[in-house]
Amino acid sequence: MVVVVGVVLLGDLWGIQAGTTEVQPQTATSHTLSARPASDPRRRDRERARSTAATNGTTGRAGGLPGKQSVPILMYHVIAAPPPGAPFPGLYVIPSEFAAQMQALKNAGWHAVTLDQLQDYWQRGVPLGVGKPIVVSFDNGYQSQYTQALPVMRRLGWVGDENLQLTGLPPSQGGLSQAQVRELIDAGWELDTQGFSHADLITLDPEELHYQVAVARSTVQQRYHVPVNWFCYPSGHYDATVIAAVKGAGYTGSTTVVPGWASPAEDRYRLHRLRVLGGTSPAALLALVADTKADPPAPSSYDGA
């Protein structure tokens, strides 16, 4: 039996039924801006971001032994007020609420890192900096993640993890342009992917699955010249066949929508995350993070596990 994990994604785009999410892309839009020339000054911004990360201790020489610390991964979608009649307003976090949440995390001693940095820590003991590391991930590539989340993260000196969906976002929200994605990269954000169209991967034939997983990775790599080491399961749907495709495409690992902290002891291809819904106060977010660690997540599974 295939076990489908997760809930949630994208009110305007998908319906939610009994703990699963049905994906029905309404449009298929892509952006065709040309790649930035090598001489573009934004490259200098990217190098400065990397230098800052090194100064903060989030990159550098390995400490020797693999790290053992679990780390929470937050999951956000639209950073905007829900439009009138939105069927799933919980998927919208208003900008002021998001800013207050991030400031509360920083005041409580948290600082943002990327999944690649987390993997370096787990594998080789590369330091994650002073304080408590947390990953702030954004699914699907909504434009509000650039217009609203980026300025907040930038003011805090933080980086995000963008799980880019290449096509199919609803016109009411719009997707990131290629220029905007490049600005996220220049600001030190990590770029990963959910595939092309947020398809339900467990329903696809081998050719379609390869397209959504492997071809999507190579497309993002070629377009933005970044590693794209992590896959994000659309709607949290996966099984043994999907995981095999993700591994075969060369990803380091993948993230789910199963609540919990990401642990170095768990399967890298089934990392847990914490979904943040609209209306979550800063205090409630801090409690969610703390309480989830106190209660170890139930194991996720798939065919063959």
Side-chain angles (χ1 to χ4, degrees):
M1 177 182 71
V2 173
V3 178
V4 177
V5 294
V7 208
V8 202
L9 288 189
L10 301 181
D12 281 346
L13 190 54
W14 306 300
I16 300 179
Q17 298 179 351
T20 63
T21 308
E22 295 301 326
V23 182
Q24 295 179 341
Q26 296 178 348
T27 62
T29 58
S30 60
H31 303 279
T32 56
L33 298 180
S34 60
R36 179 186 303 125
S39 60
D40 194 300
R42 291 181 190 273
R43 282 180 173 269
R44 294 195 296 272
D45 294 336
R46 183 160 58 232
E47 293 304 318
R48 280 196 292 270
R50 289 172 179 164
S51 176
T52 299
T55 301
N56 289 338
T58 55
T59 61
R61 299 185 62 180
L65 297 177
K68 298 181 179 180
Q69 180 179 352
S70 296
V71 173
I73 304 173
L74 301 183
M75 172 175 47
Y76 285 92
H77 297 96
V78 188
I79 310 301
F88 305 106
L91 299 177
Y92 298 77
V93 175
I94 63 174
S96 60
E97 190 172 69
F98 175 78
Q101 290 170 352
M102 294 300 102
Q103 188 62 56
L105 287 169
K106 184 163 188 176
N107 292 346
W110 295 94
H111 65 278
V113 299
T114 67
L115 288 174
D116 281 344
Q117 290 169 344
L118 185 56
Q119 175 70 356
D120 285 343
Y121 163 71
W122 281 344
Q123 273 197 327
R124 302 184 289 113
V126 176
L128 287 175
V130 178
K132 300 177 290 187
I134 193 168
V135 178
V136 185
S137 68
F138 299 85
D139 287 5
N140 310 102
Y142 279 122
Q143 194 171 75
S144 61
Q145 296 163 2
Y146 168 82
T147 59
Q148 302 297 334
L150 174 60
V152 172
M153 303 289 279
R154 183 175 271 153
R155 283 196 299 271
L156 296 176
W158 284 12
V159 294
D161 173 26
E162 178 61 56
N163 293 313
L164 186 64
Q165 176 184 326
L166 290 166
T167 66
L169 291 178
S172 62
Q173 290 299 326
L176 295 165
S177 70
Q178 289 189 24
Q180 290 169 340
V181 171
R182 291 191 178 98
E183 287 199 47
L184 294 178
I185 296 169
D186 290 340
W189 286 40
E190 181 174 289
L191 185 60
D192 296 311
T193 187
Q194 286 190 299
F196 277 95
S197 62
H198 208 276
D200 187 349
L201 302 181
I202 65 176
T203 68
L204 303 182
D205 63 34
E207 183 177 356
E208 293 172 323
L209 181 59
H210 177 79
Y211 176 74
Q212 290 286 345
V213 174
V215 178
R217 184 185 190 215
S218 62
T219 298
V220 178
Q221 287 174 325
Q222 293 167 14
R223 185 174 295 172
Y224 299 108
H225 310 290
V226 292
V228 192
N229 287 327
W230 301 86
F231 190 79
C232 178
Y233 298 120
S235 303
H237 291 195
Y238 66 90
D239 59 13
T241 300
V242 171
I243 289 181
V246 172
K247 289 181 178 180
Y251 291 94
T252 299
S254 42
T255 54
T256 71
V257 297
V258 177
W261 287 35
S263 166
E266 71 179 312
D267 186 344
R268 291 290 195 277
Y269 294 89
R270 293 186 287 177
L271 293 181
H272 297 81
R273 292 192 295 170
L274 297 174
R275 183 174 63 254
V276 183
L277 297 177
T280 302
S281 69
L285 177 59
L286 294 176
L288 171 67
V289 172
D291 293 347
T292 307
K293 186 179 184 183
D295 297 319
S300 56
S301 62
Y302 55 92
D303 280 356

